[in-house]
C-alpha cells in the first residue's frame, strides 16, 4: 500500500488485500475503492501512477440492484502501455446491504502468455522424422513398441505383470528386434527387468503357441467326433 489512512474499510480489508498481493505479486495489482466517494482508498503493487485519493471512475454504484451479483469477472482490461489484464471486481457491502467498497484484482497476463507460447513452441512438432536416418535403428522400434504398449494400456512399466511382458516381447519379436545381436540386454533394461528374466520370458514365449493357435487347438478335440458317435449301438456297422 502506498500510503496510510485511518479509514475503517482499509483497516478491515487490508489483510485480505495484502494476502492476494503477496500471493500473486508482482504480477497482480490489488485496489480498494471507495464506492461512495468514487476514489481509490488503497492500492498494492500499483501498475499505473494512480495513488490513494485519485478518482476511481467506477460509475454510480448506488444504482446497483441489491440482488445483483457482488463478484464480476474475470474480464479483460488494457493498460496504456499495451499490457492486457484479467480483472475481477468484488462489491463489498455494509450491514445495510449498500455498496461500501469495491475490491479489484488486476492480473498482468503478459508473463502467462509468454510462458504459454514458450511451452507451446516446445510441445509442437517441428517436422516429420527423416525415416531413412532411422530405418536401421532397432532401438527406435524397441522404444515405439514398449512406449506404445504403455500408452495403449495406461499402465507404467513398474506395474507390468508377466502377461504384459510376454505381450511386449511378442511384439518386439514380430518387429524383428531380437534379430539384432545384443538386443536382449537392451530390452531387459527398457522393461526394467534382469537379463535372466528377459531370457526366461523369451524361452517361454518361443515354446508357447500363438494365442489364436492355442484357441484353435483347444477347440479341436471337441470337433473330432460327433456327439452321437459316442452312443453307437452294439450292432452298428463299424465301417459307417
Amino acid at each position: 500500500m502506498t500510503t496510510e489512512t485511518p479509514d475503517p474499510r482499509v483497516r478491515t480489508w487490508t489483510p485480505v488485500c495484502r494476502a492476494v498481493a503477496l500471493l500473486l505479486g508482482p504480477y497482480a495489482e490489488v485496489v480498494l475503492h471507495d464506492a461512495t466517494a468514487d476514489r481509490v482508498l488503497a492500492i498494492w503493487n500499483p501498475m499505473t501512477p494512480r495513488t490513494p485519493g485519485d478518482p476511481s471512475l467506477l460509475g454510480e454504484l448506488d444504482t446497483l440492484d441489491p440482488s445483483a451479483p457482488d463478484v464480476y469477472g474475470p474480464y479483460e482490461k488494457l493498460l496504456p502501455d499495451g499490457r492486457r489484464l484479467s480483472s475481477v471486481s468484488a462489491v463489498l457491502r455494509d450491514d445495510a446491504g449498500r455498496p461500501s467498497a469495491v475490491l479489484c484484482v488486476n492480473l498482468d497476463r503478459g508473463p502467462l502468455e509468454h510462458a504459454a507460447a514458450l511451452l507451446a513452441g516446445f510441445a509442437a512438432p517441428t517436422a516429420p522424422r527423416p525415416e531413412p536416418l532411422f530405418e536401421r535403428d532397432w532401438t527406435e522400434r524397441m522404444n515405439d513398441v514398449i512406449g506404445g504398449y504403455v500408452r495403449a494400456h495406461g499402465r507404467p512399466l513398474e506395474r507390468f505383470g508377466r502377461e504384459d511382458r510376454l505381450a511386449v516381447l511378442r511384439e518386439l519379436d514380430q518387429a524383428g528386434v531380437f534379430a539384432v545381436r545384443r538386443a536382449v540386454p537392451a530390452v531387459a533394461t527398457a522393461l526394467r527387468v534382469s537379463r535372466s528374466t528377459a531370457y526366461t520370458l523369451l524361452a517361454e514365449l518361443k515354446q508357447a503357441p500363438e494365442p489364436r493357435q492355442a484357441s484353435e487347438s483347444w477347440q479341436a478335440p471337441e470337433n473330432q467326433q460327433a456327439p452321437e458317435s459316442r452312443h453307437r449301438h452294439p450292432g452298428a456297422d463299424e465301417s459307417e
Side-chain angles (χ1 to χ4, degrees):
M1 191 173 66
T2 58
T3 187
E4 295 296 331
T5 174
D7 193 296
R9 292 168 295 182
V10 175
R11 290 197 302 267
T12 299
W13 295 104
T14 285
V16 175
C17 296
R18 286 190 60 196
V20 175
L22 288 172
L23 178 64
L24 301 178
Y27 306 112
E29 173 190 69
V30 181
V31 188
L32 188 64
H33 298 275
D34 185 340
T36 56
D38 194 26
R39 64 184 179 89
V40 175
L41 283 173
I43 185 169
W44 292 259
N45 296 336
M47 293 183 179
T48 61
R50 61 181 172 173
T51 59
D54 288 347
S56 296
L57 305 177
L58 294 178
E60 300 295 331
L61 294 182
D62 55 355
T63 62
L64 281 176
D65 190 328
S67 63
D70 285 338
V71 179
Y72 299 86
Y75 51 88
E76 184 175 322
K77 292 176 63 176
L78 193 65
L79 293 181
D81 60 8
R83 282 180 293 173
R84 297 168 60 196
L85 307 178
S86 289
S87 301
V88 174
S89 296
V91 178
L92 310 177
R93 300 180 182 272
D94 58 21
D95 293 339
R98 296 184 298 266
S100 172
V102 177
L103 173 61
C104 293
V105 181
N106 303 312
L107 180 66
D108 186 356
R109 293 169 51 173
L112 297 177
E113 291 173 348
H114 290 322
L118 180 64
L119 293 175
F122 277 114
T126 54
R129 185 177 72 174
E131 293 300 333
L133 296 180
F134 297 91
E135 185 177 2
R136 297 180 181 275
D137 191 348
W138 61 272
T139 60
E140 287 287 330
R141 296 199 301 272
M142 177 186 72
N143 293 337
D144 286 345
V145 169
I146 299 176
Y149 188 94
V150 169
R151 294 177 65 88
H153 292 78
R155 192 158 44 246
L157 289 169
E158 294 79 5
R159 294 179 56 191
F160 268 26
R162 173 177 164 278
E163 295 302 324
D164 295 315
R165 297 189 181 103
L166 283 173
V168 170
L169 291 176
R170 184 179 293 109
E171 289 189 41
L172 291 171
D173 191 25
Q174 293 171 351
V177 171
F178 295 118
V180 180
R181 185 181 179 187
R182 297 179 180 175
V184 175
V187 170
T189 300
L191 288 177
R192 300 178 187 178
V193 298
S194 65
R195 294 186 184 184
S196 60
T197 298
Y199 280 114
T200 300
L201 291 173
L202 272 175
E204 182 179 345
L205 183 65
K206 291 182 179 181
Q207 293 176 359
E210 291 293 330
R212 185 176 179 181
Q213 294 175 350
S215 176
E216 291 174 350
S217 64
W218 177 81
Q219 295 176 356
E222 183 179 349
N223 299 330
Q224 285 178 356
Q225 190 176 35
E228 58 270 15
S229 64
R230 302 175 186 173
H231 304 284
R232 302 178 69 87
H233 296 287
D237 187 355
E238 296 295 333
S239 62
E240 290 181 358

